[in-house]
Amino acid sequence: MRTKHFLYLGFIIPIVFWSTTFICGSLLGDYNHLNRMVSELGAVGTNTQILFSIGLIACAVLSTVFIFALYKTCKIFKMDIFPVLIIFSYSLSIAGAGIFPFPLRLHLIMGMPSILLLLSPLLGLFLWRRKLTKLNQMSILSLLLMSLGFLSYFPNLLSDYIGLKQRFFHIGWSVWFSYLNYSFIKLQEKEKLSFD
């Protein structure tokens, strides 16, 4: 399969994540996405624990393959690989969140590397400027949305909307992954190169 096909995972990963989130939320019945944490969907003892874990681990596996496709494309086009390698922090975190369900202590610890994901659009903004179209707008949008997710660390601010605050981060990386999918495929098409 060609690298281009694996780049489509940048669009598929958010679909898997959000589908898992909404399906598990509907199965819980009384779950409200605005005021409850995402991790509660896979909490120990819930009827959605296994389904949620499967969804998160699937995202981790798919994102690892996505990273490989991005990395290979960067090498071919002589682009800096650091914004791509940072995405592995997402793969590690989401796998950890799936393997160690809430409220286990390792759930929180394994989620911490995802903070580094902010560096991917930030570094991309500076290192890929001459290669990708609409990079400035999409990097800034992704950074802004992910940064809004850190409102979760301020419990007194929008205290009734912890779920909404947390989801800003997930919307941010979803935008970034989708943009990488789009822009790297466009880059390949522009150069009219075929990949093995």
Side-chain angles (χ1 to χ4, degrees):
M1 190 176 278
R2 295 191 307 172
T3 303
K4 181 178 178 179
H5 296 128
F6 291 126
L7 289 173
Y8 285 108
L9 292 173
F11 184 66
I12 293 169
I13 296 161
I15 291 173
V16 172
F17 175 82
W18 291 105
S19 296
T20 301
T21 301
F22 287 113
I23 290 168
C24 289
S26 66
L27 291 174
L28 281 181
D30 63 344
Y31 184 86
N32 185 319
H33 291 277
L34 295 178
N35 56 35
R36 292 183 65 181
M37 295 187 304
V38 175
S39 296
E40 292 179 59
L41 294 167
V44 174
T46 59
N47 62 342
T48 55
Q49 179 183 344
I50 293 173
L51 177 60
F52 188 72
S53 291
I54 290 170
L56 294 191
I57 292 168
C59 286
V61 171
L62 294 173
S63 67
T64 303
V65 177
F66 180 53
I67 290 165
F68 171 76
L70 292 171
Y71 175 86
K72 189 171 180 184
T73 306
C74 282
K75 295 301 269 184
I76 289 168
F77 287 99
K78 296 180 172 49
M79 295 167 63
D80 203 297
I81 61 170
F82 287 114
V84 169
L85 297 179
I86 288 169
I87 296 172
F88 190 68
S89 67
Y90 165 85
S91 306
L92 181 66
S93 288
I94 203 153
I99 295 167
F100 304 104
F102 180 80
L104 298 179
R105 189 165 186 268
L106 278 174
H107 180 83
L108 176 63
I109 292 169
M110 292 301 294
M112 289 180 180
S114 65
I115 294 170
L116 297 174
L117 191 55
L118 279 163
L119 296 174
S120 182
L122 182 62
L123 287 174
L125 185 62
F126 295 105
L127 299 175
W128 294 339
R129 182 169 290 167
R130 295 179 181 167
K131 291 281 188 180
L132 304 179
T133 59
K134 299 183 181 177
L135 177 63
N136 290 351
Q137 301 95 311
M138 298 311 293
S139 292
I140 291 168
L141 176 62
S142 300
L143 273 169
L144 177 63
L145 289 168
M146 282 195 266
S147 297
L148 286 172
F150 289 104
L151 290 174
S152 300
Y153 294 105
F154 300 95
N156 294 330
L157 189 62
L158 298 171
S159 57
D160 293 333
Y161 297 101
I162 181 73
L164 176 63
K165 293 189 289 186
Q166 190 182 44
R167 279 160 178 78
F168 277 124
F169 180 79
H170 295 295
I171 294 168
W173 69 253
S174 296
V175 167
W176 183 238
F177 281 26
S178 297
Y179 168 71
L180 291 176
N181 163 185
Y182 168 81
S183 62
F184 273 60
I185 287 173
K186 285 292 182 189
L187 182 64
Q188 289 187 9
E189 289 173 352
K190 181 180 176 184
E191 299 294 330
K192 296 180 180 176
L193 290 177
S194 179
F195 294 83
D196 297 325

